[in-house]
Amino acid sequence: MGIFRRPRESSAATPPAISEFWEWWAQARPTIEASLAAAPGPEPAEPGTPGEGLSAETIEELSRRVHKIHGGLQWEIGGAEDRSPTLTVTGGGDPELRGLTERWFRAAPTGAAAAGWTFHPARQPDPEMLSQDLVLGDHEFDLEYVRLGMRADGDRARVHITAYHPDFLFVSEEQQLQVALHVLDWALGEDDVARWIGDVGIATEAPIDSLPPSMLSAVVEQVAEPFAEPAWLTGEGRTPRGHPARLGARFPLHRQDYPLCDLHVAITVPYANSNPDRLPVEPSSGALRKFEEKLGELGDRAVLAVRETGDGLRVFHLYADPDSGVIGELDQLAAGWAEGKAKVASTNDPGWRALAPYQP
């Protein structure tokens, strides 16, 4: 185990393109609504061609505005005759883009200004789609024939999936996976897929004890129930100098629960009182607990993810919202540490890559 520090880095979290998008949307919305009202009844369509009923010019301009925010974003317009229209901008499950879509969503018009529209920063569950047909390329899949093998993994707080459809025998692996991912999104919603779904495999024969996708949410609820309250995994290792080290990691910790926290922050705190193994003892251990309690009072502006202890140092790893002003508070908290000079270093990490070594 290595105790590390990162260089201080700051970056603009909210691109101007988000404000520009909503300024354009206010002007373009009446045209978009008129096109949707004139469109024929819904027919099976490829998910890669959203906005059915819109003119090619409107689709191109909407895509251009979304891609100006980030080239990896996707958009969808939905809503049936009996439901309000929806606009979803999504990163397609990419954790590095989740903060961007959340900022786009939080800048959206509300109340009367929304004019009846609902906006989403991730694909929402839509169980009705599970009984429809899905067209991919030249093949039409009747989704009522989909079955899912589900294996609960309590150690990882995940459900591993094996997806089956009888037509998988006749289509490419890419189409098989596309069907599986669409079914998972419609069954759970994009964020819960990211939270709770582990490995996704494909089967050309129905798995034993497989279930319809409509049962997936109940299985996920059973896996998630033990983790309703925050828990910590603990472990031991060695520092680079060969001394004992202790590790604590919050588990499970989901990117989707803190969508604005794109900034990795490492607070390195020296302690003055230690045992022969250079691990903290009283009164330092009590002071470290109080320091951590203050970190827990930051709300959704920052979340403590990992703590590493050894060689006379404790490093607290957090993820913070760079627009919330919380970094200044962390600087002040570190400046008040009485047992040596505490250091605060931050770097942009919207994909939470720094946590990968600590995940089970």
Side-chain angles (χ1 to χ4, degrees):
M1 182 201 76
I3 293 179
F4 61 90
R5 53 178 75 139
R6 294 179 176 271
R8 192 64 173 270
E9 178 181 313
S10 60
S11 61
T14 306
I18 289 179
S19 298
E20 295 172 6
F21 176 93
W22 290 116
E23 292 173 2
W24 168 81
W25 174 262
Q27 302 297 321
R29 178 179 52 76
T31 300
I32 291 173
E33 291 174 343
S35 298
L36 294 174
E43 296 179 357
E46 293 191 31
T49 55
E52 185 180 7
L54 300 180
S55 68
E57 180 181 357
T58 300
I59 290 175
E60 181 179 352
E61 181 63 13
L62 182 50
S63 297
R64 188 183 74 82
R65 296 281 179 172
V66 169
H67 292 157
K68 190 175 181 181
I69 300 172
H70 192 283
L73 297 179
Q74 307 164 25
W75 63 270
E76 298 173 358
I77 287 181
E81 292 181 359
D82 58 342
R83 293 187 290 178
S84 63
T86 64
L87 173 62
T88 301
V89 170
T90 168
D94 185 343
E96 298 209 5
L97 300 178
R98 187 60 183 83
L100 268 180
T101 62
E102 187 71 17
R103 290 179 173 88
W104 169 87
F105 166 71
R106 297 196 184 199
T110 58
W117 284 76
T118 302
F119 305 103
H120 300 294
R123 293 187 178 98
Q124 302 298 293
D126 192 352
E128 292 183 11
M129 291 297 297
L130 299 175
S131 61
Q132 305 297 317
D133 293 340
L134 172 64
V135 177
L136 293 174
D138 58 358
H139 199 96
E140 183 173 326
F141 297 87
D142 184 344
L143 297 183
E144 290 194 345
Y145 289 98
V146 172
R147 291 295 180 269
L148 301 178
M150 308 177 195
R151 180 170 63 86
D153 184 346
D155 292 337
R156 294 181 57 201
R158 296 276 175 169
V159 178
H160 303 299
I161 298 295
T162 303
Y164 164 77
H165 190 285
D167 291 0
F168 282 173
L169 286 169
F170 313 114
V171 300
S172 68
E173 292 181 1
E174 180 182 359
Q175 286 178 306
Q176 294 170 356
L177 186 58
Q178 282 185 314
V179 171
L181 295 180
H182 278 91
V183 165
L184 293 176
D185 280 347
W186 286 326
L188 291 179
E190 183 181 305
D191 280 348
D192 269 351
V193 169
R195 288 183 181 101
W196 304 111
I197 299 302
D199 301 330
V200 178
I202 299 298
T204 53
E205 294 184 4
I208 297 175
D209 297 329
S210 60
L211 297 169
S214 59
M215 298 299 296
L216 179 57
S217 60
V219 175
V220 165
E221 285 178 8
Q222 292 177 5
V223 170
E225 185 178 4
F227 302 100
E229 295 296 329
W232 286 83
L233 299 180
T234 58
E236 297 182 353
R238 293 282 172 178
T239 71
R241 296 179 181 178
H243 295 123
R246 292 176 181 168
L247 172 71
R250 181 167 171 168
F251 178 81
L253 179 60
H254 299 125
R255 172 76 177 92
Q256 294 70 29
D257 294 332
Y258 299 90
L260 298 181
C261 292
D262 290 340
L263 198 66
H264 173 258
V265 183
I267 307 177
T268 304
V269 179
Y271 46 86
N273 302 279
S274 61
N275 62 20
D277 287 332
R278 302 206 65 195
L279 292 171
V281 296
E282 294 293 350
S284 293
S285 53
L288 288 168
R289 284 194 298 271
K290 291 180 180 178
F291 190 94
E292 183 171 329
E293 288 172 2
K294 293 179 180 178
L295 296 178
E297 297 171 359
L298 299 173
D300 59 3
R301 297 179 299 153
V303 57
L304 177 61
V306 173
R307 55 176 179 259
E308 295 178 290
T309 308
D311 274 338
L313 298 173
R314 176 165 291 176
V315 183
F316 297 96
H317 297 279
L318 302 92
Y319 277 88
D321 176 0
D323 291 340
S324 68
V326 73
I327 296 299
E329 294 181 35
L330 294 175
D331 283 335
Q332 291 180 359
L333 183 60
W337 180 250
E339 299 190 21
K341 185 177 181 180
K343 298 180 180 180
V344 181
S346 62
T347 188
N348 198 45
D349 183 16
W352 289 24
R353 295 179 182 272
L355 287 190
Y358 309 104
Q359 301 302 306

